[in-house]
Amino acid sequence: AIGAGIVGLIGAKFGLAPTEAGALAVGAQLLWFKATAQFYAPSAALAVQMSTAMAGQPASSYKYVVTPWLAGHAVLWTAASLISKVRGAARVSITKSQMAHLGKMDESKLKEVFNKYDTSGDGFLDSVELKLALRVALGADLPLRECGKIIESVDADGNGTIDWPEFKAWTQSKLVGA
């Protein structure tokens, strides 16, 4: 009865067929359960809810089980993807600003930190070396993709790595927040 009411309201509000309204209702439920970290009702319960809501309407099992399932997962995937992008940008921004505390060190100690994490000894920090440095120095375990974004924002010469002058400028707040 509740499922039929939800599907009916959605269908009436947006002028959708029952199958489409059901897909939207299931998508909204998936998103709500995921966003609130609540237990998600089993798929069988949703199938019963959908079939009850559409009783007396000609619909194949494909239309009232698969379509809502696909629509619901599409909504969930889209929301998760957008949230992931926001979280990634926030992690990069926070990590970059946390580097300012290293700038309070004198230059020789700062150079030691740089050399310690330049494990290849080539005078540059690449994404892997930066990931290690951030994990040890700040406790920030960023994915390589996000380390690459940090490098892009700090890399003044465009070679895809951070050299000593770029590292020094970054930690001394010249580029923090850039």
Side-chain angles (χ1 to χ4, degrees):
I2 293 172
I6 292 172
V7 172
L9 285 173
I10 290 173
K13 175 80 173 165
F14 298 105
L16 300 173
T19 303
E20 295 165 333
L24 193 57
V26 170
Q29 286 178 337
L30 276 169
L31 189 57
W32 184 82
F33 280 111
K34 185 68 174 173
T36 60
Q38 299 294 317
F39 177 73
Y40 182 65
S43 297
L46 284 176
V48 168
Q49 179 184 8
M50 293 301 298
S51 62
T52 304
M54 295 176 13
Q57 307 241 350
S60 69
S61 60
Y62 172 80
K63 285 188 176 179
Y64 71 86
V65 174
V66 175
T67 302
W69 182 84
L70 289 173
H73 282 79
V75 167
L76 192 59
W77 179 85
T78 302
S81 179
L82 293 173
I83 291 168
S84 173
K85 289 181 188 305
V86 170
R87 287 181 66 221
R91 276 195 304 261
V92 168
S93 177
I94 290 167
T95 301
K96 285 171 55 178
S97 66
Q98 287 176 337
M99 287 299 287
H101 88 277
L102 290 178
K104 296 174 185 160
M105 296 179 171
D106 65 37
E107 189 169 329
S108 64
K109 288 190 187 249
L110 191 58
K111 182 72 172 169
E112 285 178 34
V113 169
F114 179 84
N115 290 335
K116 178 180 179 181
Y117 297 111
D118 177 19
T119 57
S120 62
D122 61 0
F124 301 97
L125 294 179
D126 60 21
S127 294
V128 174
E129 292 168 331
L130 181 62
K131 177 179 173 66
L132 176 65
L134 294 174
R135 184 184 317 144
V136 173
L138 303 177
D141 192 14
L142 298 176
L144 287 175
R145 177 183 76 249
E146 291 173 13
C147 290
K149 288 180 183 178
I150 291 174
I151 289 175
E152 286 175 15
S153 69
V154 175
D155 182 19
D157 58 13
N159 65 355
T161 59
I162 299 175
D163 58 25
W164 164 242
E166 293 165 341
F167 183 79
K168 181 179 169 188
W170 178 29
T171 57
Q172 292 180 340
S173 301
K174 293 179 185 169
L175 294 175
V176 170

